[in-house]
Amino acid sequence: MAIIQELRGVTPTVGEGTFLAENAALIGSVKMGKDCSIWYGAVLRGDVGPITLGDRVNIQDGAVLHATTDVSEVIIGNNVSVGHNAIVHGAVIGNDVLIGMGAVVMDNAVVPDGTVVAAGAVVLANTKMEPGIWAGVPAKKVKDASEAIKAMAHDNAMHYLEYKKWYE
């Protein structure tokens, strides 16, 4: 059973139809929508700032969501994939977004709808991104937005709706 820990009087809330891996950790101010999946070793640590997930969000193995006290919070829209070992630290993530494996998105960065942050990319604090594909350290836009990019991010989230069924 996943670790769901109350902290300072606040207990995480888990949306209907959500899959939680046995060693996923949800701590404090964490609120998620429906049909999410939180995978093995993922940590959503809502101790110093709230974490809010929309519907159909998947937080993959080893990913960490956290914030900075009095500086930031994590807000993630609908149909979002946060890849294996990625870090979202106090950022705002739009709808139909893919945060690639090992990527880092720092405090108060804003990732708009229909955007892909490539594997290993580092989005610096306070970056206000434009839709498209972003890659590198620090992350730079390498491809303009398109319906194909948005569809790719959306489809990735939809695949995780299927994968979570295997574990329920």
Side-chain angles (χ1 to χ4, degrees):
M1 178 178 229
I3 300 164
I4 301 176
Q5 181 177 328
E6 177 270 335
L7 183 67
R8 299 175 66 195
V10 180
T11 301
T13 60
V14 177
E16 179 183 331
T18 292
F19 164 73
L20 300 175
E22 289 84 0
N23 65 344
L26 286 67
I27 300 151
S29 184
V30 175
K31 180 191 284 188
M32 66 182 69
K34 64 181 181 172
D35 294 321
C36 295
S37 56
I38 312 300
W39 293 88
Y40 297 90
V43 176
L44 285 66
R45 203 175 105 207
D47 54 357
V48 299
I51 296 170
T52 306
L53 308 182
D55 297 333
R56 298 168 303 281
V57 173
N58 62 87
I59 308 299
Q60 297 173 18
D61 311 71
V64 175
L65 277 56
H66 193 240
T68 298
T69 306
D70 299 326
V71 171
S72 62
E73 61 184 280
V74 174
I75 301 171
I76 297 180
N78 300 319
N79 309 314
V80 173
S81 297
V82 176
H84 311 291
N85 293 316
I87 298 171
V88 176
H89 201 278
V92 176
I93 311 295
N95 301 308
D96 299 307
V97 169
L98 171 60
I99 305 297
M101 293 181 279
V104 177
V105 184
M106 292 302 298
D107 290 301
N108 298 310
V110 177
V111 180
D113 295 354
T115 296
V116 172
V117 177
V122 176
V123 178
L124 300 177
N126 303 308
T127 301
K128 307 299 186 237
M129 302 169 77
E130 298 173 0
I133 297 178
W134 290 65
V137 179
K140 303 282 185 202
K141 188 165 79 163
V142 297
K143 191 166 187 177
D144 288 333
S146 70
E147 284 303 313
I149 292 169
K150 182 177 180 180
M152 178 180 60
H154 179 87
D155 290 349
N156 189 281
M158 295 304 101
H159 291 308
Y160 271 83
L161 286 175
E162 289 299 314
Y163 302 155
K164 76 180 186 73
K165 290 178 187 176
W166 301 348
Y167 294 84
E168 295 174 333

